[in-house]
Amino acid sequence: MATRSEGFVLVATLWVLAGLTILAGYVDGVTTDSVERATLARQALQRELDRRNTKATLVYLLATNRKNHRALVVDNEQRFVEFVDEQLPPGDAEVALTGQAYAGLGEINFAIQDEAGMVPVNAPNAPQLAAMLRHVGVSAQDAVRVVARVSDYVDIDVELTLNGAEHFDYVRRGLPPPPNWLMASPLELKKVLGLEQIITDEQWRRLRPVLTMRQGIGLNVSTMPSELIAALLDADERAVRDIMGESGTRPLDASRLMQLAGWAATIDPEELRVLPADHLRITTWYAGGARHVAGIHLTPYVDGAAWRQDYRYTESPVDGAASATSPISVSAPLLQ
């Protein structure tokens, strides 16, 4: 009897120990999972704080510093005097307004793009859209169709233009009708009837980074991406390289542009800008994460506000993969 009792106690003890081992493993697993989730949550929060702080710093410095023909001029010590144009000091550093990617705070990267160097989707009859479509490989006939359909999409009437599409065409295909108003973001371009079939994914990846909703703000060749310069001026690789090299030091007038690109190129001299526009696109992201895009309008002469945010949207990493093709620089001088 004593032997059987001792055996029972031993077996019971082993079962208890096994149960405790399983419980300990479960608690360890739950704890490890909770710690991992907490770590990821903390990283996400820190990234969001760094992203917002990077954007806030950029907006402040854009609103309180000066610009040359292609960059934000950064002074270590802010100046509160008026300069004659010929006497403007060079500044302590520059941050390009050309979509160049920079390292911001923490893990955040950023790029600033002068929107006068982009393609305005809300002004489809301007030469930039058709030229860029043909440059990425869309046929001339399809480019005409795209321009017409975008025009019908954003105009305020319901009159059908040649090669266009209006309310009836969308409803007949079971699609939401066009708003007959300006697009809220370049991503809305995909909602225009037929564009999904006309523009391939590869063409879209090249086209998307140069699109903007702005309109009527002129052309700044000094801040244009190389592909848009090639498309707009019908310039070869060597001419584009010469234009970008010379515009890096000074703004180019129409005559000099024609000389560099070839006299067959056409551009409206009245559209050319010497300085970047007050409409700027700020993009912030971290490696592998979504890209946050905000359109900033600098308004220094408006009472009560030095700037305003006109739009914002988020791109997936795939959609925005080509938004900043330049290599990431060292930490931007304005954030050191």
Side-chain angles (χ1 to χ4, degrees):
M1 293 293 293
T3 302
R4 287 199 297 270
S5 297
E6 291 174 357
F8 175 78
V9 171
L10 179 60
V11 171
T13 302
L14 292 175
W15 276 107
V16 170
L17 290 175
L20 290 174
T21 302
I22 295 173
L23 178 61
Y26 171 76
V27 172
D28 180 67
V30 170
T31 303
T32 301
D33 186 57
S34 298
V35 170
E36 290 177 352
R37 287 202 304 269
T39 301
L40 292 175
R42 183 180 64 182
Q43 291 176 346
L45 177 60
Q46 187 61 54
R47 284 169 175 164
E48 182 62 15
L49 288 173
D50 289 340
R51 187 189 68 78
R52 289 174 180 253
N53 287 335
T54 296
K55 176 188 170 186
T57 303
L58 295 174
V59 171
Y60 169 75
L61 291 172
L62 285 167
T64 56
N65 284 269
R66 54 196 168 88
K67 304 188 291 288
N68 61 23
H69 65 290
R70 69 185 304 274
L72 169 67
V73 179
V74 182
D75 291 311
N76 290 333
E77 182 178 347
Q78 283 189 299
R79 306 172 188 270
F80 296 94
V81 295
E82 294 185 1
F83 295 103
V84 178
D85 289 345
E86 291 76 10
Q87 298 177 348
L88 282 174
D92 299 304
E94 293 184 358
V95 176
L97 304 178
T98 60
Q100 163 72 45
Y102 290 97
L105 299 174
E107 300 178 24
I108 301 302
N109 306 313
F110 74 86
I112 311 174
Q113 173 66 57
D114 167 28
E115 294 190 275
M118 303 180 73
V119 176
V121 294
N122 284 322
N125 292 312
Q128 296 98 305
L129 180 58
M132 194 63 197
L133 286 169
R134 293 193 297 270
H135 183 73
V136 300
V138 177
S139 69
Q141 182 178 0
D142 281 339
V144 170
R145 186 177 295 111
V146 169
V147 170
R149 292 188 177 183
V150 174
S151 297
D152 278 346
Y153 188 89
V154 301
D155 63 19
I156 60 175
D157 60 53
V158 293
E159 296 181 2
L160 183 65
T161 59
L162 182 63
N163 294 312
E166 271 292 354
H167 186 281
F168 172 77
D169 302 283
Y170 286 82
V171 173
R172 185 176 59 179
R173 300 195 184 187
L175 298 174
N180 292 115
W181 193 248
L182 302 180
M183 295 186 191
S185 88
L187 303 179
E188 195 175 343
L189 192 66
K190 286 191 172 183
K191 295 183 179 180
V192 177
L193 182 66
L195 263 63
E196 286 276 17
Q197 291 73 40
I198 294 175
I199 303 176
T200 67
D201 290 342
E202 178 59 31
Q203 290 168 344
W204 174 254
R205 279 192 288 272
R206 294 174 62 189
L207 184 65
R208 165 62 203 94
V210 300
L211 300 179
T212 179
M213 293 87 67
R214 306 295 190 184
Q215 54 178 341
I217 57 175
L219 297 171
N220 187 0
V221 177
S222 299
T223 59
M224 279 185 184
S226 58
E227 282 204 314
L228 182 53
I229 294 176
L232 189 61
L233 298 177
D234 194 21
D236 58 25
E237 184 177 347
R238 179 179 179 180
V240 171
R241 187 168 58 250
D242 291 343
I243 291 170
M244 295 190 72
E246 192 165 328
S247 65
T249 59
R250 63 185 181 89
L252 304 179
D253 58 23
S255 177
R256 182 56 179 159
L257 281 174
M258 297 305 100
Q259 185 178 0
L260 291 171
W263 290 103
T266 58
I267 193 169
D268 186 354
E270 295 184 359
E271 289 290 313
L272 288 180
R273 296 184 59 96
V274 175
L275 294 175
D278 287 330
H279 301 80
L280 301 159
R281 186 183 71 179
I282 298 176
T283 306
T284 52
W285 73 97
Y286 64 89
R291 306 174 72 91
H292 298 263
V293 183
I296 303 299
H297 182 191
L298 301 179
T299 54
Y301 304 110
V302 176
D303 292 337
W307 63 278
R308 71 169 184 256
Q309 181 173 284
D310 291 338
Y311 65 85
R312 65 177 181 178
Y313 59 90
T314 302
E315 299 175 331
S316 70
V318 175
D319 287 339
S323 293
T325 55
S326 303
I328 293 178
S329 167
V330 296
S331 182
L334 78 173
L335 293 179
Q336 288 180 353

